[in-house]
Amino acid sequence: MRVALADDSLLLREGLSRLLVEVGFDVVGLAADADSLLELVERTRPEVAIIDIRMPPTYTDEGLRAAKVIRQRWPAIGLLVLSQHVNARYAIELLSAGTDGIGYMLKERVSDLDELASSVTRVGHGGSVLDQAVVGELVGRRRQADNPLEHLTDREREVLALIAEGRSNRAIAERLFVTDHTVEKHVKNIFGTLCLPQSPDDHRRVLAVITYLNSQ
Amino acid sequence: MKAKLSVIAGAGVPAGAGAAWLAAHQPPGRPTEPGALLTLLVGVSLLASGLASWRARPENRIGQVMVFTGFAWFAAQLTEASAPWLNTIGLAVQSVWILGLVYLLLSFPSGRLQGRLDRALVMIGLIAGVGLELLAMLYGNKAGLHCPGCANNVLQVVHDNRKARGWINLQHLVAIPLLVTVVVLLVQRWLGASAAQRRAVAPVLVAGCATLAALTSTVVLDLFGDPLGALPANVYFTLMATVPVAVLFVFLQRQLARGMVAGLVVELGEPSASRDLREALARALGDPSLELAFWFPPENRYVDGDGTPVKLPDDDSGRRSTFVERDGQPIAVLLHDPVLEHNAGLVQSVCAAASLALENERLQAELRARLFELQASRARLVDATDAERRRIERDLHDGTQQRLVSIAMSLGLLETKLPEQAQAARPLVRETREALALALAELRELTHGINPPLLTERGLPAALDELCRRAGLPTHLDLALDRRLPDQIESAAYFMASEALTNAAKHSHGSEVRVSVSFAGHSLTLEVADDGIGGAATTSGSGLRGLADRIEALGGRFTVSSPPGRGTTLRAEIPCA
C-alpha cells in the first residue's frame, strides 16, 4: 500500500517512515508541512496520507485543514490524522463529513506496529479509525441518569466502543474472543436500545454511533 | 489709621458744604457747571467710597486716590466763588480731579500705574490740565478763560485774551486725544483680560469709560461753544458719580469673597465635599478656571486627581501657581488666574481653610496612582504566567513528548527485530513500551492541564464545550459568546470554569452543574452553579482564592455564593477593553 507522510518533527517523520516500511508499506514521500504535503499528494497520489495535526506555521490544526483539502480534491485517498492530544472535537469534526477512509489516532499508538499496520490498512480500504482514548472519552462522559446508555450492559458498552473505533464485527469478535454471531446479537441489542437505525454496512454505523455519543 | 481717616472725613464735611453752597449760588453765565445736587453727589461719592476702600484695603492706593480726587472735585467748585483769590485758585485746579479719575482708572485694581505709557499719559494730563491753564491765566481774564461770569483773575500779568484763548484751545486739543487714548487703553485691557479679571474690574471699567467718553464729548463741544448747552456735562457729572461707587462695589465684593471662606469651611465639612473640592475652591476664589494638582512623593512631582502628571505654569503663561503646604510638606498647588495675586490674603485664607481637605484629596490621588500601578503590575503578572504556561506546554510538546514517542517507536521496531532465540526478551520490551505509553498518557494530561491546546486554537466556546463534556458531573453549558476575546481573559475564564467543575465533582455532592457564559456591554460574565451542599469558602490557600486573584488582576469581579444546602455559585465578570 502506497503511503505519504507529513510531520514537522524530523525525528518522528523518519522514525515513522522506518516503522511503515518495516511493516510492509511503500512510503512514497515525506513532508514537513501542509503545503509540501499537498504538493507531494498531487505528485504521487498515494493510497493513504498520514498527517500530524500540529504543523507550521501556526502549530494549531494545519494538519486537519490539509486533510479536508485532500478529501475534497482526491476523495479516494485515505486519511489518517495523528494527534498528540485527545481532542474529541477535532476527531468528530474530521469524521462528521463522512467516515469512509478516515482515521484519528494518537501519535503514541504508532509504537504498536500491529495497531499501526491495521489502522493504515483500514483507512486505505475505506474503513474508519477512531482512537480508543477518544472513544473512551465519548463513552465515559457523565450523563443524565435517564440516558439510554445507562441501560447497556458492560459488555454492550465494550462492543459499542469498538464499533466507534471503526472495527468490523469480525474484528470485534476476535478482540473479545467470542463468535461473530454473539457480536451480531450485541450490536442488534445496542442499536435497539439507543434507537439507532440498523445498517448492514460496518463503515456507516461508525458515524451513527459517534454522532449519537457526541450528541448525548 | 482710624483717627487719620476720621480727620479726613471731618475735613470733607466743610469742603462739601462749601462747594455745595458755591454751586447753589452760581453766578449767571456759567452754563456747564454741575449745580449743588450733582456737586454733592459726585464729591460725597468719591470721599465716602475712597474712605471705605482705604479702610478695607490700606495697602492699596486706590482709596487714597479717590479721597484726593474728591477734594480736588470740591476745590474745582471754587470757580464759582466771587472772591478773586478763591476764584483764581478754582480756575487753576479745576482739571485736577479729572487727572485723579484718569489715574484711578489706569491703575485699577492694583493702585499702581502699569508702565511708561500710563505714566506718560498722567504726566501729559498734568501739563495740559494745570500747566497750560496757568499759562493761559498769565494772559487772559473772564471771557479769555472761557468764564465770562468769573471774578477777576489775580494771576493775570499781560492783557491778551486772544493768547489766553489760544492756550485754552491747545489744552482742549491735547485733552481730546489723551482721553481717547485712555479709553482705548482700557478697552484693550478689557479685551485681553481673563474671565476672572473681567469680573473683578468690570463695574469700574464700564463706569470709567462711559465717564471719560462723556467728558471727551463735552471738551469737543466746548471747542465749538457748547451748542448743546448743559446736557452733556450733566450726563458726564452723573456718570462720574458712579465711578467711586463701582470701585467700592468691587472692593466690597472681595470682602464678601473673604466671607465665603467661612462658607467654604462649612462646605468642606460635608462628607461629599472631596469630590467637589475644586468647585468649592473655585467658587470661594471667584476663579472658574482654577485647577488643582496634588503632590505625589514617589515621583516628586504634582499630579491631577487621576494621577496624571501636571506641568506648573511659567511666569509668562498667563497662569499663576499658589503652593499649599502643611507642616512644611507640600500638599497641593492651585493653578489660577493672575488676578488673584491682587488678593493674596484671600488666597491664603482659602488655602488654609482647605488644607486639610486638600491633604485628604492628595492622599486619595496618591492612592489612586498607586492602585493604578498595582493593577497594572498584577495584570502583567497574569500575562507573564499565561505566557509561561504556553511556553512550557510548547516545550513539552516539541521536546519531551516527541522524544518519548520516538523512543516508543524504536522499541516497537526492536520488538519485531528480536531474533527467535531472544523471545524471552519480548515480554520485557512490551512491558517497557507499555510503561512508556503510560508515561505519555500522563504527560498528555499534564500538558492539557497546563494549557489546553483547544483554547489557544479554537477559543473559549470550543474549549468550554470540551471541558463540560469531560466534567465529572453532568454539565449543562449555556453559551452566548460568538467572538474571540484577549488571551488572558479567555484563559482566566477557562481556568475558573475548570477549577469550579473540579470542585463541584469533588466536594459538592451535587447531581449536575450549570455553566453559563455571556458577553454584554464590553464585559464577559461566567457563572458556574452546582446543586450540591454549598458551604464553600474563599479562605486563603483555597483554589477559589487563586481564581479570585486571577479575575481581579484583570480588573474583574469574582463572587462566591454558597449557602449551606443550596449549592455553590461562582460568578466572574471580566471587563474587555
Side-chain angles (χ1 to χ4, degrees):
Chain A
M1 193 172 272
R2 302 173 66 248
V3 176
L5 177 59
D7 192 315
D8 61 304
S9 158
L10 178 69
L11 206 60
L12 294 196
R13 200 162 62 229
E14 296 297 337
L16 190 52
S17 163
R18 269 169 62 202
L19 292 185
L20 289 167
V21 172
E22 182 65 33
V23 288
F25 291 101
D26 173 14
V27 178
V28 296
L30 307 176
D33 57 59
D35 287 343
S36 39
L37 169 67
L38 291 179
E39 193 217 339
L40 176 67
V41 169
E42 165 95 81
R43 193 156 42 81
T44 59
R45 300 296 168 87
E47 285 159 88
V48 175
I50 303 177
I51 310 164
D52 181 21
I53 282 198
R54 200 145 119 164
M55 281 193 293
T58 66
Y59 295 95
T60 56
D61 59 352
E62 278 80 6
L64 208 57
R65 278 180 269 153
K68 284 176 190 161
V69 172
I70 294 174
R71 176 44 50 109
Q72 214 171 22
R73 291 199 205 157
W74 305 283
I77 296 179
L79 299 166
L80 182 61
V81 172
L82 300 182
S83 170
Q84 215 138 294
H85 303 283
V86 179
N87 192 329
R89 193 184 187 85
Y90 285 177
I92 287 156
E93 212 173 285
L94 188 68
L95 292 166
S96 61
T99 46
D100 295 1
I102 301 241
Y104 180 97
M105 195 166 81
L106 279 188
K107 212 179 248 185
E108 62 204 52
R109 251 14 123 194
V110 301
S111 66
D112 186 336
L113 267 65
D114 295 340
E115 180 78 34
L116 174 67
S118 91
S119 298
V120 176
T121 311
R122 241 150 71 204
V123 168
H125 287 138
S128 43
V129 170
L130 186 54
D131 197 280
Q132 63 201 52
V134 177
V135 173
E137 204 187 293
L138 288 175
V139 177
R141 279 176 180 168
R142 292 299 176 118
R143 295 180 168 83
Q144 311 292 343
D146 60 345
N147 191 282
L149 274 183
E150 305 294 326
H151 303 313
L152 296 181
T153 65
D154 287 350
R155 191 55 149 188
E156 282 166 349
R157 260 202 289 275
E158 215 172 336
V159 172
L160 180 75
L162 290 169
I163 296 173
E165 284 174 30
R167 295 181 199 275
S168 63
N169 281 359
R170 169 155 298 264
I172 294 171
E174 275 170 24
R175 174 71 68 102
L176 299 180
F177 304 108
V178 294
T179 61
D180 289 6
H181 180 70
T182 315
V183 173
E184 274 165 31
K185 222 173 71 189
H186 283 315
V187 171
K188 208 177 155 199
N189 261 343
I190 293 168
F191 275 62
T193 311
L194 305 184
C195 305
L196 290 174
Q198 290 280 4
S199 164
D201 186 342
D202 284 352
H203 297 170
R204 304 231 178 270
R205 69 183 188 183
V206 176
L207 185 58
V209 170
I210 290 171
T211 310
Y212 177 82
L213 287 175
N214 190 45
S215 67
Q216 294 300 299
Chain B
M1 176 80 201
K2 212 170 172 183
K4 191 160 94 186
L5 294 181
S6 308
V7 169
I8 294 171
V13 175
W21 188 87
L22 286 173
H25 298 82
Q26 186 184 34
R30 301 180 192 178
T32 58
E33 298 312 315
L37 193 63
L38 275 176
T39 299
L40 265 184
L41 186 65
V42 173
V44 169
S45 164
L46 276 166
L47 277 183
S49 301
L51 288 168
S53 304
W54 197 341
R55 203 180 145 196
R57 308 280 305 275
E59 81 286 357
N60 192 317
R61 230 189 278 171
I62 291 287
Q64 301 170 43
V65 172
M66 284 199 289
V67 169
F68 169 79
T69 309
F71 280 110
W73 166 259
F74 286 140
Q77 305 313 315
L78 288 174
T79 50
E80 317 293 348
S82 37
W85 269 106
L86 289 178
N87 185 256
T88 303
I89 293 172
L91 282 177
V93 302
Q94 64 179 341
S95 304
V96 170
W97 71 272
I98 296 176
L99 274 173
L101 174 66
V102 167
Y103 187 99
L104 174 68
L105 293 176
L106 285 177
S107 67
F108 192 80
S110 66
R112 294 177 190 286
L113 293 176
Q114 286 176 29
R116 272 196 200 159
L117 182 59
D118 283 12
R119 276 191 285 276
L121 286 171
V122 171
M123 198 50 74
I124 293 168
L126 188 66
I127 292 168
V130 182
L132 289 179
E133 187 74 35
L134 287 173
L135 211 55
M137 286 168 74
L138 292 178
Y139 297 92
N141 195 5
K142 300 188 179 190
L145 297 174
H146 282 267
C147 184
C150 278
N152 261 332
N153 166 21
V154 298
L155 282 185
Q156 191 181 32
V157 182
V158 184
H159 286 264
D160 189 344
N161 267 352
R162 267 192 51 190
K163 230 173 205 164
R165 266 201 293 278
W167 290 123
I168 294 291
N169 284 344
L170 177 63
Q171 181 194 51
H172 287 187
L173 286 174
V174 172
I176 292 164
L178 182 84
L179 293 172
V180 170
T181 308
V182 172
V183 171
V184 168
L185 212 58
L186 292 176
V187 169
Q188 252 178 7
R189 282 183 193 162
W190 166 264
L191 292 177
S194 64
Q197 282 170 321
R198 283 184 186 183
R199 212 163 56 164
V201 302
V204 178
L205 275 193
V206 171
C209 285
T211 308
L212 289 181
L215 173 61
T216 311
S217 75
T218 65
V219 175
V220 172
L221 291 171
D222 220 16
L223 279 177
F224 298 105
D226 285 333
L228 293 179
L231 177 67
N234 284 337
V235 168
Y236 127 68
F237 290 133
T238 310
L239 283 172
M240 178 61 205
T242 64
V243 174
V245 176
V247 172
L248 185 65
F249 174 76
V250 168
F251 277 21
L252 287 184
Q253 204 179 29
R254 293 191 178 188
Q255 288 297 102
L256 282 178
R258 278 191 195 179
M260 284 185 72
V261 175
L264 177 70
V265 173
V266 173
E267 195 173 342
L268 292 179
E270 316 257 326
S272 67
S274 69
R275 202 181 54 235
D276 305 322
L277 181 59
R278 195 206 73 83
E279 273 88 47
L281 289 177
R283 240 188 339 269
L285 289 172
D287 178 6
S289 74
L290 180 85
E291 292 165 89
L292 275 181
F294 303 97
W295 181 246
F296 187 49
E299 292 174 15
N300 270 333
R301 60 177 168 190
Y302 289 93
V303 298
D304 66 13
D306 300 326
T308 316
V310 169
K311 194 177 163 292
L312 298 181
D314 304 327
D315 279 348
D316 52 353
S317 67
R319 300 286 286 164
R320 292 289 182 274
S321 28
T322 299
F323 296 91
V324 187
E325 295 189 342
R326 203 175 151 80
D327 303 330
Q329 296 297 311
I331 302 174
V333 60
L334 272 59
L335 309 177
H336 55 77
D337 196 285
V339 74
L340 290 181
E341 278 193 333
H342 300 308
N343 213 347
L346 173 64
V347 178
Q348 285 312 318
S349 9
V350 165
C351 287
S355 75
L356 187 61
L358 280 169
E359 171 69 351
N360 187 23
E361 188 86 338
R362 186 192 74 74
L363 287 172
Q364 284 188 23
E366 184 177 335
L367 200 63
R368 274 192 290 272
R370 285 180 191 274
L371 212 59
F372 184 75
E373 183 46 42
L374 186 67
Q375 187 67 30
S377 89
R378 279 178 91 183
R380 281 198 298 275
L381 271 179
V382 168
D383 275 357
T385 314
D386 284 352
E388 190 68 356
R389 274 175 181 278
R390 277 192 282 274
R391 191 188 63 75
I392 293 172
E393 191 264 337
R394 171 65 62 83
D395 284 354
L396 286 176
H397 177 272
D398 291 351
T400 318
Q401 277 179 310
Q402 305 277 9
R403 205 159 288 280
L404 287 178
V405 171
S406 152
I407 294 170
M409 289 197 299
S410 303
L411 274 175
L413 207 55
L414 179 65
E415 204 179 358
T416 63
K417 300 263 184 198
L418 281 177
E420 287 305 311
Q421 51 274 54
Q423 277 302 329
R426 208 177 277 275
L428 191 61
V429 173
R430 179 174 293 273
E431 200 177 297
T432 313
R433 194 159 56 74
E434 280 166 3
L436 205 51
L438 204 61
L440 273 165
E442 283 171 9
L443 191 57
R444 209 169 56 218
E445 284 299 315
L446 181 67
T447 55
H448 187 95
I450 292 171
N451 183 52
L454 197 61
L455 181 64
T456 318
E457 292 162 20
R458 291 290 166 88
L460 190 58
L464 282 180
D465 183 52
E466 199 59 31
L467 185 67
C468 290
R469 288 169 183 276
R470 291 161 65 115
L473 284 176
T475 302
H476 179 80
L477 177 64
D478 198 357
L479 197 67
L481 174 70
D482 56 356
R483 69 186 81 189
R484 290 300 299 259
L485 299 173
D487 285 351
Q488 67 271 33
I489 291 172
E490 289 199 334
S491 283
Y494 178 86
F495 284 110
M496 175 185 143
S498 171
E499 177 82 20
L501 287 174
T502 308
N503 285 349
K506 271 197 211 159
H507 310 300
S508 80
H509 302 289
S511 61
E512 62 174 0
V513 185
R514 183 168 286 272
V515 176
S516 44
V517 181
S518 62
F519 185 82
H522 303 292
S523 138
L524 177 77
T525 304
L526 173 68
E527 199 176 274
V528 183
D530 66 46
D531 57 354
I533 55 169
T538 47
T539 45
S540 61
S542 82
L544 290 182
R545 187 61 247 167
L547 287 181
D549 283 348
R550 199 181 169 107
I551 304 290
E552 283 160 11
L554 296 169
R557 261 161 37 91
F558 180 79
T559 49
V560 178
S561 157
S562 190
R566 286 166 56 200
T568 299
T569 301
L570 307 187
R571 184 184 166 86
E573 284 168 55
I574 313 173
C576 308

